[in-house]
Amino acid sequence: MDNIIKYVRNRTVNSNMDGQASYVNLEDTVSVNRSTIEISQNDRNQSDTPTYTIDSAVEKMGFGKFQVKLSLLTGLAWMADAMEMMILSILAPALHCDWLLNEWQKALITTVVFLGMMLSGAMWGKLCDFYGRKACLILCTLFTFYFGALSSFAPVFIWLLVLRGLVGFGIGGAPQSVTLYAEFLPSKQRARCVVLTNLFWSIGACLEVLLAIVVMPTLGWRWLLAFSSLPLLIFAVFCSWLPESARYHLACGRSDLAQETLVRISKDNNVPLPEGNLKVVQSDVKRGQISDLLSKEHRVTTLILWFIWFANAFSYYGIVLLTTEMFQIGNACQASEANKQNIEPFCYLRCLQSKDYIDLLYTTVSEFPGLFITMVIIEVLGRKKTMAIEFAIFSVFVFLINICVDRPVLIIFLFVARCFISGGFQAAYVYTPEYYPTVNRAIGLGTCSAMARIGAIITPFIAQVLIKVSPYFAISIYGTVGLLAAIACMLLPVETKGRNMVDTDDAYDPVVH
């Protein structure tokens, strides 16, 4: 190289505009070329270095200490949100007695919560895709805690509606904890882990009923609201440990931060990362675009998923609200007889007693076997068949509620119906994050959550209002929706069992039937 420079310096001549000879010093130019050669050589060396993806890293490190801690923290978020949701079935009957609310006002207490969740579901999903899962999850948790505690001071009905609506707005971001959690799980354990973590939802629901048994007879509903918001504050405090999604960082072009998170998992699990460097993906890929959910690749699945989530929330919260209503009015035959005699609701409805709360606890416990059943069959039958079967069984036992039976038998029907609809709901939480790529995973789950809230908005007017007008018709609506949802599950064009989670549509797996 030095000989070339010397030769060029001595031999290269240019003529300027005055016709005088001048020498052109090309040493700098050749130096640049030398650097270029060296950089090219480095690039060649780097290209020879093996690379690995987040999927391969997560699969190799498996389920270890890191995932256990993340499971507990994610579960705490679910438990806190479950308490805020379960209180709806307790609050309305209590206020019916305390503030003499009519049926429409009782339904509105539940509806405003889900309205807030619907309005915020897609928003939280979009924010998570833009600013990260961790920051938005902490924000929505603190938001929910603040207005949950504040609602215990509501002086009048309208203020209670406003504050509970804001609680719902915060809860709308809760499903993003599943997005974050699922992105750290190996494919073989993902379904079982997501379903198992949702045991915390059932624990939260049971804890709320136990809290009601202790608090309601002595302190009343205001203290119940205050105590129910405390787990949200506890979760926010522990969120300092919560990691940001490595897939999110990689989708943003921050491979350095993604690498740091993977190293953290490697140390916690005491398993080395794959050899080489983390494979870098394009950072200019659009994220959080609702229009992408309705693209040619996703349109059919997205529309079916929206209905499935609608049916899940409509049915699940419907059976929860229907339980306390049936405890007040008796079985369907007694309610129908009261309607024939034109008995006003205030005359034949009674306030819930300690025995009613204990029976409510029995039906709430049904979620535990439901989740275990789902955890077992979801890896054997797949996601689609699991959801379809559970919707179908739910539908059968809802129709059985129309039979004139004694209270113990009614509790059994309610128990089985809630058992399988809760399992089906969790199966949807497994399927949805597995289906969408990273760049649209949060917004996909967010829009599904928003559609679920539409179902939840409608369900109080069936379970708490229409049930007083025509019990048989109201109950049959839930059974029919369950059957339609079972059919919709089987029409899903993709089965996600055993499929890796992808980051972009370009890396999308072929359709698996």
Side-chain angles (χ1 to χ4, degrees):
M1 179 64 71
D2 292 336
N3 292 333
I4 294 174
I5 295 172
K6 185 182 295 184
Y7 176 80
V8 173
R9 182 186 294 124
N10 293 333
R11 300 290 298 174
T12 304
V13 178
N14 269 348
S15 296
N16 60 15
M17 294 178 62
D18 295 332
Q20 298 175 346
S22 62
Y23 292 96
V24 179
N25 189 346
L26 294 183
E27 185 171 0
D28 293 338
T29 304
V30 178
S31 297
V32 173
N33 291 336
R34 179 194 295 160
S35 300
T36 303
I37 294 171
E38 292 173 352
I39 292 172
S40 299
Q41 184 64 35
N42 291 335
D43 290 342
R44 189 178 298 110
N45 292 336
Q46 290 178 0
S47 64
D48 294 336
T49 302
T51 60
Y52 63 87
T53 63
I54 291 180
D55 273 319
S56 60
V58 171
E59 294 296 331
K60 181 179 180 182
M61 291 183 290
F63 189 92
K65 181 180 177 181
F66 177 87
Q67 282 79 9
V68 170
K69 292 189 291 185
L70 186 60
S71 298
L72 294 174
L73 190 56
T74 306
L76 180 60
W78 272 124
M79 185 179 74
D81 288 319
M83 293 179 68
E84 288 292 339
M85 299 309 302
M86 188 63 196
I87 201 172
L88 296 175
S89 64
I90 301 170
L91 185 61
L95 290 176
H96 167 77
C97 296
D98 196 359
W99 287 356
L100 299 180
L101 302 183
N102 59 38
E103 304 309 316
W104 285 90
Q105 289 174 317
K106 287 171 58 179
L108 283 175
I109 295 174
T110 304
T111 294
V112 293
V113 175
F114 293 115
L115 179 61
M117 295 173 72
M118 182 195 70
L119 294 176
S120 67
M123 183 206 74
W124 288 117
K126 197 172 184 68
L127 288 176
C128 284
D129 281 329
F130 272 99
Y131 301 108
R133 281 64 159 142
K134 177 180 177 178
C136 292
L137 192 58
I138 295 174
L139 178 61
C140 75
T141 300
L142 290 174
F143 189 96
T144 306
F145 162 73
Y146 177 76
F147 288 105
L150 197 61
S151 62
S152 64
F153 297 97
V156 292
F157 176 69
I158 189 64
W159 268 110
L160 183 68
L161 289 182
V162 172
L163 293 172
R164 296 310 294 177
L166 291 171
V167 168
F169 194 89
I171 296 177
Q176 301 309 326
S177 61
V178 177
T179 300
L180 178 63
Y181 182 56
E183 290 180 341
F184 286 112
L185 296 174
S187 59
K188 290 183 178 180
Q189 287 86 20
R190 189 182 304 129
R192 289 194 179 98
C193 289
V194 171
V195 174
L196 189 61
T197 302
N198 281 284
L199 283 174
F200 286 93
W201 177 277
S202 302
I203 292 173
C206 291
L207 183 60
E208 185 63 36
V209 179
L210 289 171
L211 194 61
I213 293 173
V214 175
V215 173
M216 288 298 291
T218 55
L219 300 177
W221 60 269
R222 293 185 185 275
W223 282 98
L224 184 64
L225 285 174
F227 288 141
S228 299
S229 65
L230 291 179
L232 290 163
L233 181 61
I234 296 173
F235 171 75
V237 171
F238 282 100
C239 269
S240 59
W241 177 88
L242 193 68
E244 182 52 87
S245 168
R247 294 178 186 273
Y248 164 76
H249 277 147
L250 199 60
C252 294
R254 295 302 307 272
S255 58
D256 55 333
L257 296 179
Q259 179 75 23
E260 289 179 8
T261 301
L262 293 177
V263 169
R264 175 181 173 183
I265 300 173
S266 176
K267 291 180 179 179
D268 277 358
N269 289 2
N270 197 26
V271 178
L273 287 168
E275 294 184 2
N277 299 321
L278 179 62
K279 186 177 181 181
V280 179
V281 298
Q282 294 180 346
S283 60
D284 58 349
V285 178
K286 292 182 180 180
R287 304 188 307 276
Q289 302 296 316
I290 296 180
S291 58
D292 291 342
L293 304 181
L294 297 175
S295 64
K296 181 179 179 181
E297 294 81 5
H298 303 304
R299 185 183 302 119
V300 174
T301 303
T302 293
L303 292 176
I304 294 176
L305 277 177
W306 284 354
F307 174 72
I308 290 173
W309 279 74
F310 169 91
N312 261 318
F314 178 83
S315 303
Y316 175 79
Y317 293 110
I319 202 69
V320 171
L321 296 174
L322 197 63
T323 299
T324 52
E325 294 298 320
M326 296 300 290
F327 287 170
Q328 286 184 303
I329 65 178
N331 57 38
C333 296
Q334 292 171 325
S336 178
E337 185 63 27
N339 289 337
K340 291 178 181 178
Q341 298 177 13
N342 294 321
I343 300 177
E344 292 295 327
F346 284 115
C347 297
Y348 73 88
L349 280 182
R350 61 181 180 82
C351 300
L352 294 179
Q353 307 296 321
S354 296
K355 181 180 181 302
D356 297 315
Y357 290 125
I358 293 173
D359 288 344
L360 180 61
L361 180 61
Y362 291 152
T363 60
T364 305
V365 169
S366 67
E367 295 193 15
F368 290 99
L371 294 178
F372 280 116
I373 291 171
T374 301
M375 188 171 59
V376 171
I377 68 175
I378 197 168
E379 291 294 357
V380 177
L381 302 178
R383 284 58 163 150
K384 293 168 49 177
K385 291 182 179 178
T386 297
M387 289 189 289
I389 291 172
E390 292 184 320
F391 267 120
I393 296 176
F394 161 80
S395 180
V396 169
F397 279 87
V398 165
F399 279 122
L400 290 176
I401 297 175
N402 280 319
I403 302 175
C404 300
V405 294
D406 294 333
R407 179 132 170 181
V409 180
L410 175 64
I411 291 175
I412 292 174
F413 291 161
L414 292 169
F415 181 99
V416 177
R418 183 164 176 175
C419 169
F420 283 94
I421 193 58
S422 63
F425 213 155
Q426 303 317 318
Y429 269 108
V430 174
Y431 182 95
T432 306
E434 286 184 335
Y435 172 76
Y436 288 110
T438 300
V439 292
N440 292 314
R441 186 168 295 127
I443 190 65
L445 188 62
T447 54
C448 286
S449 178
M451 293 302 297
R453 305 319 161 198
I454 294 177
I457 287 172
I458 297 173
T459 204
F461 297 99
I462 308 298
Q464 294 177 314
V465 178
L466 184 60
I467 191 73
K468 307 302 190 310
V469 178
S470 177
Y472 297 117
F473 182 47
I475 294 169
S476 297
I477 288 176
Y478 290 106
T480 303
V481 170
L483 287 178
L484 293 175
I487 296 172
C489 291
M490 296 306 299
L491 293 177
L492 284 168
V494 176
E495 172 56 67
T496 62
K497 174 188 173 185
R499 198 176 70 166
N500 289 332
M501 299 180 81
V502 298
D503 295 315
T504 64
D505 284 329
D506 294 336
Y508 212 68
D509 288 351
V511 173
V512 180
H513 295 280

